[in-house]
Amino acid sequence: MSILATLAKALANRSVRVVDLTHTLSPNFPAIVLQTELGQAAPFRVEEISRYDERGSGWYWNNFTCSEHTGTHFDAPVHWISGRYLPNNATDSIPVEDMMGPACVVDCSKESAENADFLLTKDFLLKWEAQHGQIPERSWVLMRTDWSKKVSDPVAYQNFDEEGQHTPGPSVDAMQFLVYERKVLGFGTETIGTDAGQGFHLRPPHPAHDLLHGAGRYGLQCLNNLDQLPPTGAFIFCAPLKIEQGSGSPLRVLGLVEG
């Protein structure tokens, strides 16, 4: 039996299950908020065209508008200035092989519950590797914080105060380690950005964006259900819309898990 036939059989008999790692995209989903003087991402909006009525008696459909970086979404290298001049850096030109790969799930949920500004460090990753094995090249590293469970409360999910946003994310040395030593395909989070809410204070600022995209790698944000994936052994599919010169895209992220 071929590899693909074996996979089809495993999906049919559910010895391989599919985990939806995506939030439902609706007008209620929190939008990214930047400083007021900067350009802002449009929230998701839906306009009904017809619904089996005088506007179209036999069909239902909608128009929708949103930012490329809305809901569960993908960041391409061209999104950040560090990836501005790279070849194949947009959603219509990145290699399709890069839209899937093995996933390593690093559980930081306890630390994030105790400290909203928790930073994932290289030392934390090395301790994770001592328990689960070395992070393979061309894998996706997903930072589990259980932040996705806050999404029904936009205020808690965004977590702003007078100092700005407070959400967990990676440190500079963690991103340097993943990009240059482990050569990962990408990095994913459950928060509204791949960087910590206070990541602009780091050097370089926003290290996940700066280092990932400068190396031609990718980001996933607003992931869901990471608590349903094992630390290793899952395989994810994360294909963005093929937007001409797109900097990113909402998408459906799926994880395959054995057993």
Side-chain angles (χ1 to χ4, degrees), residues 181-231:
E181 296 187 53
R182 293 297 178 257
K183 298 179 172 60
V184 299
L185 267 179
F187 180 77
T189 63
E190 295 178 75
T191 54
I192 209 158
T194 46
D195 277 295
Q198 294 290 301
F200 61 89
H201 290 302
L202 304 176
R203 292 294 176 268
H206 308 291
H209 285 80
D210 185 84
L211 296 169
L212 280 171
H213 302 325
R217 316 296 168 76
Y218 317 104
L220 291 171
Q221 287 101 148
C222 305
L223 292 170
N224 194 22
N225 295 326
L226 290 186
D227 56 352
Q228 296 183 33
L229 297 186

Side-chain angles (χ1 to χ4, degrees), residues 117-182:
D117 292 317
F118 170 75
L119 292 179
L120 173 65
T121 63
K122 177 180 178 179
D123 183 62
F124 194 101
L125 289 167
L126 289 172
K127 290 176 180 177
W128 183 93
E129 287 190 328
Q131 184 175 359
H132 302 290
Q134 183 168 309
I135 295 167
E137 287 190 19
R138 294 186 58 80
S139 62
W140 283 86
V141 172
L142 309 179
M143 181 179 175
R144 177 188 162 193
T145 58
D146 289 348
W147 209 260
S148 58
K149 301 181 188 303
K150 300 175 183 281
V151 76
S152 60
D153 181 351
V155 173
Y157 188 70
Q158 295 274 29
N159 202 29
F160 279 100
D161 65 12
E162 63 279 358
E163 296 178 343
Q165 192 170 51
H166 297 274
T167 55
S171 67
V172 174
D173 72 338
M175 292 316 306
Q176 290 172 334
F177 174 68
L178 291 175
V179 171
Y180 301 125
E181 296 187 53
R182 293 297 178 257

Side-chain angles (χ1 to χ4, degrees), residues 1-21:
M1 188 179 292
S2 72
I3 294 173
L4 291 179
T6 301
L7 175 60
K9 182 178 180 180
L11 289 168
N13 65 26
R14 302 197 177 183
S15 58
V16 168
R17 60 188 175 91
V18 182
V19 179
D20 190 353
L21 303 177

Side-chain angles (χ1 to χ4, degrees), residues 29 64 72:
F29 197 91
F64 72 85
T72 303

